[in-house]
Amino acid sequence: MAAIPHASVLFVCVHNAGRSQMAAAWLQHLSRGNVEVRSAGTLPAECVNPQAVAAMAEVGIDLVGLTPRVLTREMVKSSDYVITMGCGDTCPVFPGKQYRDWALEDPAGQDLHVVRRIRDEVKERVADLVAEIDRNAYAAGVSGHRADDAA
């Protein structure tokens, strides 16, 4: 089976410690590694949120060892899709990019049951994004499999 057509996606939140890390991990997983994935924060934390690490581990996705990164203009410039999550106007805007702002609850300071709900909502949005990337590539005539095969 052919892979999902290539695209580059950047997930951005303030601390790059929860939402954006979970989204990047879900995209890596659901796209079977065929989409270039980055995540960053406008004010990165020192470490990934332990509750996000625990919630993702429950579904077999390992965030251990990941570290939050600072957002750079180059990251945005080299991405096809930029998904922001609560960072407002601090993300630079470049023409020709696909921008999305996902209103998601911040997992910082939340109990594990709340982080699980956020994790599941992130997964749904990422699955929709994979389908969008696939549709766009399909419409452009790029060969690949249908996004629902990736789930």
Side-chain angles (χ1 to χ4, degrees):
M1 173 185 338
I4 292 174
H6 182 77
S8 178
V9 177
L10 171 63
F11 293 101
V12 183
C13 66
V14 176
H15 300 296
N16 189 222
R19 296 167 288 191
S20 56
Q21 292 282 356
M22 289 190 289
W26 275 124
L27 182 56
Q28 188 72 23
H29 177 75
L30 294 174
S31 72
R32 297 186 176 127
N34 292 307
V35 174
E36 184 179 1
V37 182
R38 297 181 197 86
S39 69
T42 54
L43 295 168
E46 290 185 29
C47 63
V48 176
N49 179 332
Q51 297 290 46
V53 173
M56 294 301 283
E58 290 177 350
V59 294
I61 298 176
D62 187 8
L63 299 184
V64 173
L66 297 179
T67 55
R69 290 174 295 236
V70 67
L71 176 67
T72 66
R73 294 177 63 81
E74 293 74 30
M75 287 177 171
V76 177
K77 204 171 189 176
S78 64
S79 299
D80 299 312
Y81 294 80
V82 179
I83 313 300
T84 58
M85 304 172 203
C87 58
D89 295 333
T90 59
C91 185
V93 175
F94 291 96
K97 308 298 174 193
Q98 296 284 330
Y99 288 89
R100 306 285 183 280
D101 184 45
W102 290 355
L104 292 163
E105 189 174 355
D106 189 346
Q110 301 288 353
D111 291 332
L112 186 56
H113 73 278
V114 174
V115 178
R116 286 182 186 120
R117 183 173 36 80
I118 297 166
R119 173 201 65 202
D120 295 343
E121 184 177 353
V122 168
K123 179 184 180 184
E124 289 176 20
R125 289 177 186 238
V126 169
D128 290 345
L129 179 63
V130 170
E132 178 183 341
I133 290 168
D134 193 37
R135 277 191 311 274
N136 289 344
Y138 183 77
V142 178
S143 65
H145 68 74
R146 299 302 305 154
D148 51 343
D149 294 342

